[in-house]
Amino acid sequence: MSAQPAIDGQFQEARVNLLGLPRAELEAFCGALGSKPFRARQLMNWLYKRGVGDFAAMTDLARDFRAQLGERAEVKLPEIVTAQRSSDGTCKWLLRADHSQAFEMVYIPETDRGTLCISSQVGCALDCSFCSTGQQGFNRNLTAAEIVGQVWLANRELGFAPAGERIVTNVVLMGMGEPLANFRNVIPATQILLDDLGFDLSRRRVTLSTSGLVPQMYRLAEHSNVALAVSLHAPDDELRNQLVPINRLHPIAELLEACWHYIDEQNGRSVTFEYVMLDGVNDSPTQARALARLLKGHPAKVNLIPFNPFPGTRYRRSSDEAIATFRDLLLRGGVMATVRRTRGDDIDAACGQLVGRVIDRTVVRLGSKRVPVQVEM
Ligand code: SAH
Ligand code: SF4
């Protein structure tokens, strides 16, 4: 018998957090420990089907292998700082990134599904003017294990039972951060969400929302097939430049090209365009007609999001009438449109209200035009 191989360079850190490893990497890790790749299947079964993270409890694994795992691996979850439950059942957790930084995740129960909104970064560098995460600045990317760990943690906190019904049926990358600015970690995390040995979610039930990092959208089309949501928020470049500063680099025409390419490549249904309704800014009938002209005839639907205010913002939410008129004009213009119901209002758990705790803001905002956005590929 050959001697135990040395751990591969890639797994040299003291303990590898298994939650961040998609199937192929977990197989490589088992191989590096001198075990057969099929051990990875058994491990995934314990981790994701049974919600067990304690190696000692994984009774169908050989004792030696369990001991090795105890030395070389861990299943480490983000630590909960606070947990809040809204009167409508929405739950929000503040999770620790390190001694001073924190990020948030939100669970929204509905009759036919349970949606978990997870974060991909601590803060965000893209500086959209109506977003309270953006106003916090950026601290760091979350690791793949921290992204996957949110789903694991939510299941545990919400009472996941192996034989019971799914609690988290849908996952949306719509919490803190710009997922495509953390490509390197978001892709493996989505692989674990979709893998039938992982969380086994269908690709229509995992949605990635981006403010429009166009080059990364083309890369996404090569590496993933999750549902795509795009934060549009304006029908013309002049206004979008003000609301979503990344538009100065990737204007609307380029962004839409990337969207249609994604749908073609993925054989997908349609792109959901998010449009935050800001009183007197982007909610006029003229703007609704312009938006309809832009999207008509394409695989697109629009989700109108009533603006969620936060302290210090200069914006106000559009009136219910303005939102209804805007939706009707889109429908009449041949574009599918819905209005997002605001949830978790009493605990500030709604879109754009997630602030976490971003104390050390290492990256200057894009809005100031001084520093390019850092993108981890
Ligand atoms: N960075 C990604 C995903 C996180 S933001 C993106 O921008 O798409 C998720 C959604 O919440 C986006 O559509 C964003 O524009 C929206 N949003 C941000 N701030 C908001 C606010 N104050 N009220 C309502 N929606 C907001
Ligand atoms: Fe970042 Fe999205 Fe907020 Fe813009 S809307 S600042 S991209 S989190």
Side-chain angles (χ1 to χ4, degrees):
M1 243 210 208
S2 62
Q4 186 97 326
I7 299 288
D8 278 1
Q10 129 185 60
F11 300 119
Q12 258 164 6
E13 61 187 89
R15 281 166 195 262
V16 174
N17 191 348
L18 299 189
L19 288 181
L21 301 186
R23 193 194 299 201
E25 282 187 39
L26 195 58
E27 285 172 351
F29 178 71
C30 291
L33 289 179
S35 273
K36 293 271 184 294
F38 76 84
R39 293 284 174 217
R41 287 179 160 263
Q42 287 177 300
L43 266 171
M44 289 186 85
N45 190 42
W46 283 107
L47 290 174
Y48 302 111
K49 303 292 179 228
R50 306 170 82 153
V52 172
D54 175 7
F55 301 131
M58 300 181 178
T59 43
D60 61 353
L61 300 181
R63 197 180 292 259
D64 288 357
F65 184 51
R66 275 187 271 160
Q68 268 182 317
L69 287 174
E71 276 172 30
R72 306 295 322 190
E74 62 184 357
V75 176
K76 191 163 168 237
L77 296 167
E79 194 187 310
I80 298 175
V81 181
T82 57
Q84 288 171 278
R85 184 181 281 264
S86 156
S87 53
D88 68 13
T90 300
C91 301
K92 177 168 94 165
W93 293 269
L94 184 67
L95 305 174
R96 191 181 303 286
D98 61 39
H99 63 284
S100 61
Q101 316 293 326
F103 56 98
E104 290 182 314
M105 113 181 142
V106 176
Y107 178 73
I108 306 150
E110 288 173 276
T111 38
D112 57 342
R113 63 183 154 184
T115 303
L116 188 69
C117 176
I118 61 176
S119 294
S120 56
Q121 299 183 309
V122 182
C124 182
L126 294 188
D127 203 21
C128 300
S129 55
F130 53 86
C131 171
S132 99
T133 302
Q135 301 311 298
Q136 296 279 303
F138 173 76
N139 176 255
R140 74 164 169 89
N141 283 327
L142 294 179
T143 63
E146 285 170 327
I147 299 170
V148 170
Q150 293 172 63
V151 186
W152 219 86
L153 192 62
N155 271 326
R156 189 189 77 187
E157 290 302 297
L158 296 165
F160 165 83
E165 265 183 34
R166 274 175 197 262
I167 296 171
V168 175
T169 62
N170 295 52
V171 173
V172 294
L173 284 134
M174 292 187 188
M176 292 174 75
E178 167 51 53
L180 292 185
N182 184 12
F183 199 89
R184 197 174 63 183
N185 296 321
V186 162
I187 292 300
T190 56
Q191 285 167 351
I192 297 167
L193 294 178
L194 299 182
D195 191 336
D196 51 354
L197 295 182
F199 288 102
D200 193 19
L201 293 166
S202 98
R203 68 192 186 97
R204 296 193 208 293
R205 291 180 177 270
V206 177
T207 304
L208 184 150
S209 174
T210 179
S211 56
L213 295 186
V214 167
Q216 287 72 33
M217 290 170 71
Y218 283 98
R219 287 200 67 208
L220 185 70
E222 288 168 26
H223 294 275
S224 181
N225 59 2
V226 294
L228 183 66
V230 170
S231 296
L232 192 57
H233 306 317
D236 61 81
D237 284 323
E238 198 185 342
L239 179 57
R240 194 164 190 269
N241 285 346
Q242 291 169 32
L243 299 177
V244 186
I246 193 73
N247 195 69
R248 296 175 206 155
L249 285 181
H250 306 298
I252 293 176
E254 256 183 54
L255 173 61
L256 294 182
E257 272 311 306
C259 291
W260 314 143
H261 170 81
Y262 188 82
I263 293 301
D264 279 352
E265 287 293 301
Q266 302 309 315
N267 204 6
R269 281 181 176 166
S270 56
V271 175
T272 300
F273 289 95
E274 294 154 291
Y275 195 101
V276 62
M277 296 299 289
L278 304 168
D279 182 35
V281 175
N282 65 354
D283 64 348
S284 73
T286 312
Q287 286 160 321
R289 288 188 201 98
L291 184 61
R293 281 196 298 276
L294 207 56
L295 301 179
K296 189 181 174 187
H298 292 287
K301 57 186 179 198
V302 175
N303 193 209
L304 300 173
I305 315 174
F307 171 63
N308 294 307
F310 52 89
T313 180
R314 60 179 183 274
Y315 297 110
R316 287 182 315 267
R317 179 182 294 186
S318 305
S319 67
D320 290 348
E321 299 77 59
I323 297 176
T325 305
F326 202 93
R327 181 202 51 209
D328 293 345
L329 286 169
L330 286 174
L331 293 171
R332 241 182 281 156
V335 175
M336 177 62 201
T338 50
V339 179
R340 188 177 297 176
R341 195 154 64 95
T342 295
R343 298 286 302 264
D345 246 353
D346 52 341
I347 56 168
D348 287 348
C351 294
Q353 287 180 321
L354 304 186
V355 290
R357 209 194 283 148
V358 187
I359 294 165
D360 178 9
R361 300 160 197 189
T362 48
V363 172
V364 182
R365 296 185 183 143
L366 180 74
S368 69
K369 277 195 148 178
R370 269 179 288 158
V371 169
V373 188
Q374 295 195 342
V375 176
E376 281 205 35
M377 301 293 268

